[in-house]
């Protein structure tokens, strides 16, 4: 994972160019945004650092669902309730129901339902 354009992304491809006569080696990294699924590209020096987001993976149970507004989750460790927007992924949306257990991620203060546990 890396931050590209201040958006947390999963890196899917990395290309490295050789250093030239008057320049250093470059890295081109392609990533897919974790929240909106758009492709992002990072271009920078090979010896430079890149920011990495902290991905906190947790389990929760779906308490209720409100059509058009979102899903209310209860964390299984802290028992706090969280309101999350309904996922756009049709595979996850089809499996969501009250009482089901899900895995959700906290990334940079934003929440995302990643998968429905069976």
């Amino acid at each position: 994972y890396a931050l590209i354009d201040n958006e947390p992304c999963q890196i899917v491809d990395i290309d490295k160019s050789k250093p030239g006569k008057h320049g250093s080696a470059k890295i081109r990294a392609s990533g897919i945004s974790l929240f909106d699924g758009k492709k992002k590209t990072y271009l920078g020096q090979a010896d430079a650092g890149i920011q990495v987001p902290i991905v906190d993976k947790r389990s929760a149970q779906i308490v209720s669902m409100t059509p058009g507004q979102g899903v209310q989750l209860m964390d299984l460790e802290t028992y706090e309730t969280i309101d999350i927007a309904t996922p756009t992924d049709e595979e996850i949306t089809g499996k969501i129901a009250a009482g089901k257990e899900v895995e959700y991620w906290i990334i940079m203060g934003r929440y995302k339902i990643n998968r429905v546990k069976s």
Side-chain angles (χ1 to χ4, degrees):
Y1 301 107
L3 283 180
I4 301 175
D5 297 333
N6 213 17
E7 182 73 23
C9 298
Q10 181 177 7
I11 302 299
V12 292
D13 185 37
I14 297 177
D15 294 324
K16 181 181 175 187
S17 65
K18 293 182 179 179
K21 185 175 181 181
H22 297 290
S24 61
K26 300 278 191 270
I27 294 244
R28 178 182 303 273
S30 298
I32 297 176
S33 173
L34 294 175
F35 288 103
D36 58 12
K38 293 182 181 176
K39 186 175 181 181
K40 306 254 184 200
T41 304
Y42 169 78
L43 179 64
Q45 293 184 354
D47 59 351
I50 188 168
Q51 292 182 335
V52 178
I54 296 173
V55 179
D56 188 10
K57 300 176 182 179
R58 297 184 177 201
S59 295
Q61 184 177 8
I62 298 175
V63 177
S64 66
M65 295 178 54
T66 309
Q69 291 184 0
V71 180
Q72 187 175 33
L73 303 177
M74 180 181 68
D75 190 291
L76 294 177
E77 291 180 18
T78 62
Y79 302 110
E80 66 178 318
T81 57
I82 304 154
D83 291 322
I84 298 178
T86 305
T88 56
D89 188 5
E90 292 153 8
E91 182 180 323
I92 296 173
T93 307
K95 296 179 183 178
I96 288 181
K100 292 251 182 158
E101 192 173 317
V102 297
E103 178 183 284
Y104 73 98
W105 291 359
I106 304 173
I107 308 164
M108 298 175 61
R110 295 163 62 187
Y111 298 91
K112 175 189 178 186
I113 295 176
N114 191 45
R115 70 181 176 101
V116 178
K117 295 182 179 180
S118 48

